[in-house]
Amino acid sequence: MVVDGGSVAWVGSEGAADSFADGVDTVVQLDGALVTPAFTDAHVHTTSTGLALTGLDLSDAGSLTEALARTAAHAAARPADRVLLGHGWDESRWPERRPPTRAELDRAAGGRPLYLTRADVHSAAVSSALLALVPGIEAEPGYDPVAPLTRGAHHAVRRAAHEAVPPAQRADAQRAALAHAAAQGIGAVHECAGPDISSEDDLTGLLALAAAAPGPRVFGYWAQPWQGPADLERLRDLGAIGAGGDLFVDGSIGSHTALLHAPYADAPHTGVAHLDAETIARHLVLCTEAGVQAGFHAIGDAAIDAVVAGVRAAAEAAGKDRVRALRHRVEHAELMTGRTIAAFAEFGLVASVQPAFDAAWGGEDGMYARRLGAERAARLNPFAAMTRAGVPLVLGSDSPVTPLDPWGAVRAAAFHRTPGHGISARAAFNAHTRGGWRAVGRDDAGVLVPGAPADYAVWSVGDLVVQAPDQRVANWSTDPRSGTPGLPDVTPGGPLPTALRTVVGGRTVYPPPNG
């Protein structure tokens, strides 16, 4: 491969490449390493990821007792922090099977403001001192005097907590997250920002930081329903490429806020609705008429049905072809049905999915089964059915909900915990590379061909194989006569590839130039 400036100039055989050797500035001998397009993580919260990387990460805490002890140690180690921040607790994995109480957090934090997000980031355990910074919090939906906060109460305390982070600390967190992404072979991230998630300053600061220094590309989305033409100007001022990302139609399964048609198996309600079909349709019509990609966060079957109803109404008002052309997105799209899968294909909706969710919470004994019951949980994340129907899949992590780990996502998609839902490793890899570029309207990138952006990664790997989850996926794809290119073996339990170098636009971003 020959790279000229920021683009791939030539790809061919090794013998033909020798003719270029005298006319280039640098020759890199791979010594058996593998070169692939760099990954695109299609759903990231960069600042929160960086704060988890540099601060209190409870994702591997084995018990409530351990989580509280680590929180207390963190508080003692950071006496100058205005608000203590942490992430990743998951009571469904603890022997106590309950979240921390407010009194327990008050003791652990020593009476200081403390904000701890659950693993899914749709609820948070907070201290009394943080609540005191939010006047009127008791009247917000989702407030509880003892338990973690959800809905509007959670959004309010999140704003208060994030506003307490100094700009320098926020920029350091963003740099840490992008550097970590580069070290995983990730060349681009889709930042899912919004007023209930971060702030305008957070998004504009991240985009400016990414533009000023070598690192992964950042494509920003802003999650706010459109009311009129002025919203287009706001989007342009922010530098966002789309009005979507985590524009919440519902919440999450783990926090009992995903919107369902039937009640949860372990709670007497059906979740939370943030947007109805009429609001969804209005947002889509305004975005479509402005030529702007829209998107929504929808996990439960009732939330996804609301999106489909809104899309149908928007197609009637603005035209189906115009709706399809903009590749509107749905983030997560977990509890799908045959009818909603067909609708996604009909309207060209991009499904931005996170296979690591299934790896973390799927299976007969996982959190999903406890929340929904085994039969309903087995319908989650049907990647094979979506792919067969022609639904465009793009892969991401929702980091810090699950780690930045693209090869782990490929493994999780190929070795799905529900039989019949997995896709081939090649299909998952394509969805995590070229698919991410297509989701932002670029069909010329995410592949290594002449004219494409020189965004690639170099990997230390073992044998290359062609993997499909089972015979139902595609018998021909594993036949040597098909000519399907091999990829690293992602069989569970084995080692995954290690990034040796990540290049974005022809510039090496990992290892760092001064590393």
PDB file of all heavy atoms in Angstrom, residues 134-171:
ATOM      1  N   VAL A 134     -28.941  21.290  43.609  1.00  0.00           N
ATOM      2  CA  VAL A 134     -29.985  21.326  42.577  1.00  0.00           C
ATOM      3  C   VAL A 134     -31.308  21.701  43.233  1.00  0.00           C
ATOM      4  O   VAL A 134     -32.070  20.819  43.648  1.00  0.00           O
ATOM      5  CB  VAL A 134     -30.094  19.978  41.848  1.00  0.00           C
ATOM      6  CG1 VAL A 134     -31.023  20.105  40.644  1.00  0.00           C
ATOM      7  CG2 VAL A 134     -28.736  19.471  41.407  1.00  0.00           C
ATOM      8  N   PRO A 135     -31.615  22.980  43.344  1.00  0.00           N
ATOM      9  CA  PRO A 135     -32.876  23.387  43.962  1.00  0.00           C
ATOM     10  C   PRO A 135     -34.078  22.793  43.226  1.00  0.00           C
ATOM     11  O   PRO A 135     -34.104  22.722  41.996  1.00  0.00           O
ATOM     12  CB  PRO A 135     -32.854  24.915  43.836  1.00  0.00           C
ATOM     13  CG  PRO A 135     -31.408  25.271  43.686  1.00  0.00           C
ATOM     14  CD  PRO A 135     -30.788  24.130  42.932  1.00  0.00           C
ATOM     15  N   GLY A 136     -35.048  22.339  43.981  1.00  0.00           N
ATOM     16  CA  GLY A 136     -36.264  21.789  43.397  1.00  0.00           C
ATOM     17  C   GLY A 136     -36.127  20.386  42.865  1.00  0.00           C
ATOM     18  O   GLY A 136     -37.033  19.895  42.173  1.00  0.00           O
ATOM     19  N   ILE A 137     -35.038  19.695  43.177  1.00  0.00           N
ATOM     20  CA  ILE A 137     -34.811  18.359  42.624  1.00  0.00           C
ATOM     21  C   ILE A 137     -35.906  17.391  43.050  1.00  0.00           C
ATOM     22  O   ILE A 137     -36.270  16.467  42.310  1.00  0.00           O
ATOM     23  CB  ILE A 137     -33.420  17.828  43.048  1.00  0.00           C
ATOM     24  CG1 ILE A 137     -33.117  16.499  42.371  1.00  0.00           C
ATOM     25  CG2 ILE A 137     -33.324  17.699  44.559  1.00  0.00           C
ATOM     26  CD1 ILE A 137     -32.970  16.591  40.877  1.00  0.00           C
ATOM     27  N   GLU A 138     -36.486  17.604  44.235  1.00  0.00           N
ATOM     28  CA  GLU A 138     -37.516  16.679  44.723  1.00  0.00           C
ATOM     29  C   GLU A 138     -38.748  16.647  43.833  1.00  0.00           C
ATOM     30  O   GLU A 138     -39.493  15.659  43.840  1.00  0.00           O
ATOM     31  CB  GLU A 138     -37.932  17.053  46.153  1.00  0.00           C
ATOM     32  CG  GLU A 138     -36.817  16.938  47.182  1.00  0.00           C
ATOM     33  CD  GLU A 138     -35.932  18.176  47.228  1.00  0.00           C
ATOM     34  OE1 GLU A 138     -36.189  19.128  46.440  1.00  0.00           O
ATOM     35  OE2 GLU A 138     -34.988  18.204  48.034  1.00  0.00           O
ATOM     36  N   ALA A 139     -38.982  17.712  43.076  1.00  0.00           N
ATOM     37  CA  ALA A 139     -40.165  17.759  42.211  1.00  0.00           C
ATOM     38  C   ALA A 139     -39.924  17.153  40.834  1.00  0.00           C
ATOM     39  O   ALA A 139     -40.866  17.019  40.046  1.00  0.00           O
ATOM     40  CB  ALA A 139     -40.616  19.214  42.053  1.00  0.00           C
ATOM     41  N   GLU A 140     -38.688  16.796  40.535  1.00  0.00           N
ATOM     42  CA  GLU A 140     -38.370  16.252  39.207  1.00  0.00           C
ATOM     43  C   GLU A 140     -38.828  14.795  39.096  1.00  0.00           C
ATOM     44  O   GLU A 140     -38.705  14.017  40.056  1.00  0.00           O
ATOM     45  CB  GLU A 140     -36.867  16.318  38.940  1.00  0.00           C
ATOM     46  CG  GLU A 140     -36.325  17.723  38.764  1.00  0.00           C
ATOM     47  CD  GLU A 140     -36.704  18.318  37.427  1.00  0.00           C
ATOM     48  OE1 GLU A 140     -37.128  17.555  36.517  1.00  0.00           O
ATOM     49  OE2 GLU A 140     -36.575  19.547  37.272  1.00  0.00           O
ATOM     50  N   PRO A 141     -39.352  14.385  37.925  1.00  0.00           N
ATOM     51  CA  PRO A 141     -39.699  12.967  37.736  1.00  0.00           C
ATOM     52  C   PRO A 141     -38.451  12.100  37.864  1.00  0.00           C
ATOM     53  O   PRO A 141     -37.371  12.474  37.393  1.00  0.00           O
ATOM     54  CB  PRO A 141     -40.268  12.919  36.316  1.00  0.00           C
ATOM     55  CG  PRO A 141     -39.767  14.156  35.645  1.00  0.00           C
ATOM     56  CD  PRO A 141     -39.620  15.189  36.714  1.00  0.00           C
ATOM     57  N   GLY A 142     -38.609  10.973  38.515  1.00  0.00           N
ATOM     58  CA  GLY A 142     -37.476  10.081  38.714  1.00  0.00           C
ATOM     59  C   GLY A 142     -36.730  10.313  40.010  1.00  0.00           C
ATOM     60  O   GLY A 142     -35.762   9.603  40.297  1.00  0.00           O
ATOM     61  N   TYR A 143     -37.180  11.294  40.818  1.00  0.00           N
ATOM     62  CA  TYR A 143     -36.520  11.530  42.101  1.00  0.00           C
ATOM     63  C   TYR A 143     -36.952  10.473  43.110  1.00  0.00           C
ATOM     64  O   TYR A 143     -38.117  10.059  43.147  1.00  0.00           O
ATOM     65  CB  TYR A 143     -36.862  12.914  42.657  1.00  0.00           C
ATOM     66  CG  TYR A 143     -36.349  13.127  44.063  1.00  0.00           C
ATOM     67  CD1 TYR A 143     -35.018  13.452  44.288  1.00  0.00           C
ATOM     68  CD2 TYR A 143     -37.196  12.955  45.163  1.00  0.00           C
ATOM     69  CE1 TYR A 143     -34.542  13.621  45.587  1.00  0.00           C
ATOM     70  CE2 TYR A 143     -36.723  13.125  46.454  1.00  0.00           C
ATOM     71  CZ  TYR A 143     -35.401  13.454  46.657  1.00  0.00           C
ATOM     72  OH  TYR A 143     -34.926  13.613  47.932  1.00  0.00           O
ATOM     73  N   ASP A 144     -36.015  10.044  43.942  1.00  0.00           N
ATOM     74  CA  ASP A 144     -36.313   9.113  45.023  1.00  0.00           C
ATOM     75  C   ASP A 144     -35.478   9.515  46.231  1.00  0.00           C
ATOM     76  O   ASP A 144     -34.290   9.827  46.071  1.00  0.00           O
ATOM     77  CB  ASP A 144     -35.991   7.674  44.613  1.00  0.00           C
ATOM     78  CG  ASP A 144     -36.498   6.658  45.626  1.00  0.00           C
ATOM     79  OD1 ASP A 144     -35.857   6.517  46.690  1.00  0.00           O
ATOM     80  OD2 ASP A 144     -37.510   5.993  45.353  1.00  0.00           O
ATOM     81  N   PRO A 145     -36.041   9.539  47.421  1.00  0.00           N
ATOM     82  CA  PRO A 145     -35.272   9.992  48.575  1.00  0.00           C
ATOM     83  C   PRO A 145     -34.162   9.040  49.008  1.00  0.00           C
ATOM     84  O   PRO A 145     -33.279   9.435  49.775  1.00  0.00           O
ATOM     85  CB  PRO A 145     -36.338  10.112  49.682  1.00  0.00           C
ATOM     86  CG  PRO A 145     -37.432   9.203  49.249  1.00  0.00           C
ATOM     87  CD  PRO A 145     -37.440   9.248  47.751  1.00  0.00           C
ATOM     88  N   VAL A 146     -34.192   7.814  48.525  1.00  0.00           N
ATOM     89  CA  VAL A 146     -33.196   6.821  48.939  1.00  0.00           C
ATOM     90  C   VAL A 146     -32.489   6.197  47.739  1.00  0.00           C
ATOM     91  O   VAL A 146     -31.262   6.070  47.704  1.00  0.00           O
ATOM     92  CB  VAL A 146     -33.855   5.702  49.781  1.00  0.00           C
ATOM     93  CG1 VAL A 146     -32.827   4.628  50.136  1.00  0.00           C
ATOM     94  CG2 VAL A 146     -34.476   6.285  51.045  1.00  0.00           C
ATOM     95  N   ALA A 147     -33.258   5.800  46.738  1.00  0.00           N
ATOM     96  CA  ALA A 147     -32.733   5.011  45.622  1.00  0.00           C
ATOM     97  C   ALA A 147     -32.062   5.906  44.572  1.00  0.00           C
ATOM     98  O   ALA A 147     -32.188   7.135  44.608  1.00  0.00           O
ATOM     99  CB  ALA A 147     -33.864   4.213  44.986  1.00  0.00           C
ATOM    100  N   PRO A 148     -31.365   5.309  43.605  1.00  0.00           N
ATOM    101  CA  PRO A 148     -30.775   6.085  42.503  1.00  0.00           C
ATOM    102  C   PRO A 148     -31.830   6.878  41.731  1.00  0.00           C
ATOM    103  O   PRO A 148     -33.013   6.514  41.712  1.00  0.00           O
ATOM    104  CB  PRO A 148     -30.135   5.003  41.623  1.00  0.00           C
ATOM    105  CG  PRO A 148     -29.813   3.900  42.570  1.00  0.00           C
ATOM    106  CD  PRO A 148     -30.948   3.893  43.564  1.00  0.00           C
ATOM    107  N   LEU A 149     -31.390   7.936  41.102  1.00  0.00           N
ATOM    108  CA  LEU A 149     -32.282   8.828  40.370  1.00  0.00           C
ATOM    109  C   LEU A 149     -32.360   8.424  38.901  1.00  0.00           C
ATOM    110  O   LEU A 149     -31.382   7.957  38.318  1.00  0.00           O
ATOM    111  CB  LEU A 149     -31.787  10.272  40.464  1.00  0.00           C
ATOM    112  CG  LEU A 149     -31.523  10.820  41.865  1.00  0.00           C
ATOM    113  CD1 LEU A 149     -31.121  12.286  41.782  1.00  0.00           C
ATOM    114  CD2 LEU A 149     -32.744  10.645  42.752  1.00  0.00           C
ATOM    115  N   THR A 150     -33.525   8.637  38.297  1.00  0.00           N
ATOM    116  CA  THR A 150     -33.727   8.383  36.869  1.00  0.00           C
ATOM    117  C   THR A 150     -34.392   9.613  36.258  1.00  0.00           C
ATOM    118  O   THR A 150     -34.626  10.612  36.916  1.00  0.00           O
ATOM    119  CB  THR A 150     -34.618   7.145  36.650  1.00  0.00           C
ATOM    120  OG1 THR A 150     -35.918   7.384  37.227  1.00  0.00           O
ATOM    121  CG2 THR A 150     -34.005   5.905  37.289  1.00  0.00           C
ATOM    122  N   ARG A 151     -34.654   9.548  34.962  1.00  0.00           N
ATOM    123  CA  ARG A 151     -35.441  10.536  34.218  1.00  0.00           C
ATOM    124  C   ARG A 151     -34.956  11.967  34.465  1.00  0.00           C
ATOM    125  O   ARG A 151     -33.758  12.253  34.447  1.00  0.00           O
ATOM    126  CB  ARG A 151     -36.919  10.351  34.548  1.00  0.00           C
ATOM    127  CG  ARG A 151     -37.432   8.939  34.293  1.00  0.00           C
ATOM    128  CD  ARG A 151     -38.825   8.698  34.822  1.00  0.00           C
ATOM    129  NE  ARG A 151     -39.808   9.562  34.146  1.00  0.00           N
ATOM    130  CZ  ARG A 151     -41.066   9.674  34.536  1.00  0.00           C
ATOM    131  NH1 ARG A 151     -41.496   8.984  35.600  1.00  0.00           N
ATOM    132  NH2 ARG A 151     -41.896  10.454  33.878  1.00  0.00           N
ATOM    133  N   GLY A 152     -35.897  12.882  34.661  1.00  0.00           N
ATOM    134  CA  GLY A 152     -35.534  14.286  34.788  1.00  0.00           C
ATOM    135  C   GLY A 152     -34.651  14.575  35.979  1.00  0.00           C
ATOM    136  O   GLY A 152     -33.775  15.468  35.921  1.00  0.00           O
ATOM    137  N   ALA A 153     -34.863  13.868  37.080  1.00  0.00           N
ATOM    138  CA  ALA A 153     -34.012  14.074  38.250  1.00  0.00           C
ATOM    139  C   ALA A 153     -32.565  13.711  37.949  1.00  0.00           C
ATOM    140  O   ALA A 153     -31.633  14.415  38.352  1.00  0.00           O
ATOM    141  CB  ALA A 153     -34.536  13.248  39.426  1.00  0.00           C
ATOM    142  N   HIS A 154     -32.383  12.614  37.216  1.00  0.00           N
ATOM    143  CA  HIS A 154     -31.022  12.230  36.848  1.00  0.00           C
ATOM    144  C   HIS A 154     -30.387  13.270  35.938  1.00  0.00           C
ATOM    145  O   HIS A 154     -29.227  13.652  36.117  1.00  0.00           O
ATOM    146  CB  HIS A 154     -31.026  10.860  36.178  1.00  0.00           C
ATOM    147  CG  HIS A 154     -29.680  10.442  35.688  1.00  0.00           C
ATOM    148  ND1 HIS A 154     -29.496   9.770  34.506  1.00  0.00           N
ATOM    149  CD2 HIS A 154     -28.434  10.634  36.188  1.00  0.00           C
ATOM    150  CE1 HIS A 154     -28.221   9.553  34.318  1.00  0.00           C
ATOM    151  NE2 HIS A 154     -27.548  10.066  35.327  1.00  0.00           N
ATOM    152  N   HIS A 155     -31.128  13.748  34.953  1.00  0.00           N
ATOM    153  CA  HIS A 155     -30.575  14.746  34.040  1.00  0.00           C
ATOM    154  C   HIS A 155     -30.168  16.007  34.796  1.00  0.00           C
ATOM    155  O   HIS A 155     -29.138  16.619  34.492  1.00  0.00           O
ATOM    156  CB  HIS A 155     -31.600  15.094  32.954  1.00  0.00           C
ATOM    157  CG  HIS A 155     -31.928  13.939  32.064  1.00  0.00           C
ATOM    158  ND1 HIS A 155     -33.065  13.897  31.294  1.00  0.00           N
ATOM    159  CD2 HIS A 155     -31.276  12.774  31.820  1.00  0.00           C
ATOM    160  CE1 HIS A 155     -33.104  12.766  30.619  1.00  0.00           C
ATOM    161  NE2 HIS A 155     -32.027  12.067  30.921  1.00  0.00           N
ATOM    162  N   ALA A 156     -30.958  16.386  35.787  1.00  0.00           N
ATOM    163  CA  ALA A 156     -30.660  17.606  36.537  1.00  0.00           C
ATOM    164  C   ALA A 156     -29.381  17.463  37.358  1.00  0.00           C
ATOM    165  O   ALA A 156     -28.530  18.371  37.371  1.00  0.00           O
ATOM    166  CB  ALA A 156     -31.838  17.963  37.449  1.00  0.00           C
ATOM    167  N   VAL A 157     -29.217  16.338  38.044  1.00  0.00           N
ATOM    168  CA  VAL A 157     -27.993  16.177  38.843  1.00  0.00           C
ATOM    169  C   VAL A 157     -26.783  15.962  37.941  1.00  0.00           C
ATOM    170  O   VAL A 157     -25.662  16.369  38.293  1.00  0.00           O
ATOM    171  CB  VAL A 157     -28.117  15.029  39.870  1.00  0.00           C
ATOM    172  CG1 VAL A 157     -29.184  15.341  40.901  1.00  0.00           C
ATOM    173  CG2 VAL A 157     -28.378  13.698  39.207  1.00  0.00           C
ATOM    174  N   ARG A 158     -26.988  15.340  36.773  1.00  0.00           N
ATOM    175  CA  ARG A 158     -25.865  15.178  35.846  1.00  0.00           C
ATOM    176  C   ARG A 158     -25.361  16.545  35.386  1.00  0.00           C
ATOM    177  O   ARG A 158     -24.145  16.769  35.319  1.00  0.00           O
ATOM    178  CB  ARG A 158     -26.278  14.322  34.639  1.00  0.00           C
ATOM    179  CG  ARG A 158     -25.199  14.248  33.562  1.00  0.00           C
ATOM    180  CD  ARG A 158     -25.360  13.082  32.620  1.00  0.00           C
ATOM    181  NE  ARG A 158     -26.691  12.948  32.076  1.00  0.00           N
ATOM    182  CZ  ARG A 158     -27.110  11.860  31.430  1.00  0.00           C
ATOM    183  NH1 ARG A 158     -26.305  10.822  31.271  1.00  0.00           N
ATOM    184  NH2 ARG A 158     -28.334  11.792  30.937  1.00  0.00           N
ATOM    185  N   ARG A 159     -26.282  17.447  35.054  1.00  0.00           N
ATOM    186  CA  ARG A 159     -25.859  18.789  34.650  1.00  0.00           C
ATOM    187  C   ARG A 159     -25.068  19.468  35.766  1.00  0.00           C
ATOM    188  O   ARG A 159     -24.020  20.071  35.520  1.00  0.00           O
ATOM    189  CB  ARG A 159     -27.079  19.631  34.267  1.00  0.00           C
ATOM    190  CG  ARG A 159     -27.599  19.374  32.863  1.00  0.00           C
ATOM    191  CD  ARG A 159     -28.600  20.440  32.434  1.00  0.00           C
ATOM    192  NE  ARG A 159     -29.824  20.376  33.233  1.00  0.00           N
ATOM    193  CZ  ARG A 159     -30.867  19.611  32.921  1.00  0.00           C
ATOM    194  NH1 ARG A 159     -30.832  18.839  31.850  1.00  0.00           N
ATOM    195  NH2 ARG A 159     -31.953  19.609  33.688  1.00  0.00           N
ATOM    196  N   ALA A 160     -25.559  19.363  36.976  1.00  0.00           N
ATOM    197  CA  ALA A 160     -24.866  19.991  38.098  1.00  0.00           C
ATOM    198  C   ALA A 160     -23.476  19.396  38.296  1.00  0.00           C
ATOM    199  O   ALA A 160     -22.497  20.120  38.546  1.00  0.00           O
ATOM    200  CB  ALA A 160     -25.692  19.846  39.377  1.00  0.00           C
ATOM    201  N   ALA A 161     -23.370  18.082  38.169  1.00  0.00           N
ATOM    202  CA  ALA A 161     -22.081  17.426  38.361  1.00  0.00           C
ATOM    203  C   ALA A 161     -21.094  17.811  37.267  1.00  0.00           C
ATOM    204  O   ALA A 161     -19.932  18.140  37.535  1.00  0.00           O
ATOM    205  CB  ALA A 161     -22.269  15.910  38.396  1.00  0.00           C
ATOM    206  N   HIS A 162     -21.562  17.803  36.020  1.00  0.00           N
ATOM    207  CA  HIS A 162     -20.656  18.106  34.912  1.00  0.00           C
ATOM    208  C   HIS A 162     -20.261  19.579  34.878  1.00  0.00           C
ATOM    209  O   HIS A 162     -19.145  19.920  34.465  1.00  0.00           O
ATOM    210  CB  HIS A 162     -21.289  17.684  33.593  1.00  0.00           C
ATOM    211  CG  HIS A 162     -21.285  16.197  33.382  1.00  0.00           C
ATOM    212  ND1 HIS A 162     -21.759  15.588  32.246  1.00  0.00           N
ATOM    213  CD2 HIS A 162     -20.865  15.181  34.174  1.00  0.00           C
ATOM    214  CE1 HIS A 162     -21.641  14.279  32.349  1.00  0.00           C
ATOM    215  NE2 HIS A 162     -21.097  14.018  33.511  1.00  0.00           N
ATOM    216  N   GLU A 163     -21.165  20.454  35.310  1.00  0.00           N
ATOM    217  CA  GLU A 163     -20.823  21.873  35.342  1.00  0.00           C
ATOM    218  C   GLU A 163     -19.725  22.164  36.359  1.00  0.00           C
ATOM    219  O   GLU A 163     -19.039  23.185  36.262  1.00  0.00           O
ATOM    220  CB  GLU A 163     -22.072  22.703  35.667  1.00  0.00           C
ATOM    221  CG  GLU A 163     -23.040  22.814  34.488  1.00  0.00           C
ATOM    222  CD  GLU A 163     -24.366  23.449  34.889  1.00  0.00           C
ATOM    223  OE1 GLU A 163     -24.518  23.795  36.077  1.00  0.00           O
ATOM    224  OE2 GLU A 163     -25.243  23.585  34.003  1.00  0.00           O
ATOM    225  N   ALA A 164     -19.559  21.268  37.321  1.00  0.00           N
ATOM    226  CA  ALA A 164     -18.519  21.455  38.326  1.00  0.00           C
ATOM    227  C   ALA A 164     -17.143  21.002  37.851  1.00  0.00           C
ATOM    228  O   ALA A 164     -16.145  21.229  38.544  1.00  0.00           O
ATOM    229  CB  ALA A 164     -18.896  20.694  39.600  1.00  0.00           C
ATOM    230  N   VAL A 165     -17.081  20.364  36.686  1.00  0.00           N
ATOM    231  CA  VAL A 165     -15.786  19.914  36.155  1.00  0.00           C
ATOM    232  C   VAL A 165     -15.098  21.102  35.493  1.00  0.00           C
ATOM    233  O   VAL A 165     -15.631  21.672  34.533  1.00  0.00           O
ATOM    234  CB  VAL A 165     -15.986  18.771  35.135  1.00  0.00           C
ATOM    235  CG1 VAL A 165     -14.647  18.359  34.537  1.00  0.00           C
ATOM    236  CG2 VAL A 165     -16.668  17.582  35.798  1.00  0.00           C
ATOM    237  N   PRO A 166     -13.907  21.492  35.932  1.00  0.00           N
ATOM    238  CA  PRO A 166     -13.211  22.625  35.322  1.00  0.00           C
ATOM    239  C   PRO A 166     -12.865  22.329  33.864  1.00  0.00           C
ATOM    240  O   PRO A 166     -12.651  21.167  33.484  1.00  0.00           O
ATOM    241  CB  PRO A 166     -11.942  22.767  36.172  1.00  0.00           C
ATOM    242  CG  PRO A 166     -12.218  22.019  37.433  1.00  0.00           C
ATOM    243  CD  PRO A 166     -13.176  20.924  37.068  1.00  0.00           C
ATOM    244  N   PRO A 167     -12.815  23.361  33.020  1.00  0.00           N
ATOM    245  CA  PRO A 167     -12.490  23.145  31.601  1.00  0.00           C
ATOM    246  C   PRO A 167     -11.187  22.381  31.392  1.00  0.00           C
ATOM    247  O   PRO A 167     -11.105  21.542  30.491  1.00  0.00           O
ATOM    248  CB  PRO A 167     -12.411  24.563  31.043  1.00  0.00           C
ATOM    249  CG  PRO A 167     -13.307  25.362  31.927  1.00  0.00           C
ATOM    250  CD  PRO A 167     -13.167  24.772  33.296  1.00  0.00           C
ATOM    251  N   ALA A 168     -10.187  22.628  32.196  1.00  0.00           N
ATOM    252  CA  ALA A 168      -8.905  21.934  32.017  1.00  0.00           C
ATOM    253  C   ALA A 168      -9.052  20.442  32.287  1.00  0.00           C
ATOM    254  O   ALA A 168      -8.492  19.608  31.566  1.00  0.00           O
ATOM    255  CB  ALA A 168      -7.841  22.541  32.931  1.00  0.00           C
ATOM    256  N   GLN A 169      -9.804  20.087  33.332  1.00  0.00           N
ATOM    257  CA  GLN A 169     -10.026  18.675  33.636  1.00  0.00           C
ATOM    258  C   GLN A 169     -10.837  18.007  32.533  1.00  0.00           C
ATOM    259  O   GLN A 169     -10.563  16.863  32.153  1.00  0.00           O
ATOM    260  CB  GLN A 169     -10.739  18.522  34.979  1.00  0.00           C
ATOM    261  CG  GLN A 169     -10.960  17.062  35.391  1.00  0.00           C
ATOM    262  CD  GLN A 169     -11.755  16.923  36.675  1.00  0.00           C
ATOM    263  OE1 GLN A 169     -12.114  17.920  37.312  1.00  0.00           O
ATOM    264  NE2 GLN A 169     -12.055  15.699  37.066  1.00  0.00           N
ATOM    265  N   ARG A 170     -11.824  18.731  32.004  1.00  0.00           N
ATOM    266  CA  ARG A 170     -12.631  18.177  30.922  1.00  0.00           C
ATOM    267  C   ARG A 170     -11.771  17.914  29.692  1.00  0.00           C
ATOM    268  O   ARG A 170     -11.862  16.850  29.061  1.00  0.00           O
ATOM    269  CB  ARG A 170     -13.763  19.143  30.582  1.00  0.00           C
ATOM    270  CG  ARG A 170     -14.712  18.633  29.510  1.00  0.00           C
ATOM    271  CD  ARG A 170     -15.885  19.587  29.348  1.00  0.00           C
ATOM    272  NE  ARG A 170     -15.451  20.903  28.893  1.00  0.00           N
ATOM    273  CZ  ARG A 170     -16.103  22.032  29.151  1.00  0.00           C
ATOM    274  NH1 ARG A 170     -17.195  22.021  29.882  1.00  0.00           N
ATOM    275  NH2 ARG A 170     -15.650  23.181  28.684  1.00  0.00           N
ATOM    276  N   ALA A 171     -10.898  18.875  29.329  1.00  0.00           N
ATOM    277  CA  ALA A 171     -10.029  18.689  28.164  1.00  0.00           C
ATOM    278  C   ALA A 171      -9.061  17.532  28.387  1.00  0.00           C
ATOM    279  O   ALA A 171      -8.780  16.754  27.460  1.00  0.00           O
ATOM    280  CB  ALA A 171      -9.261  19.977  27.876  1.00  0.00           C
TER     281      ALA A 171
END
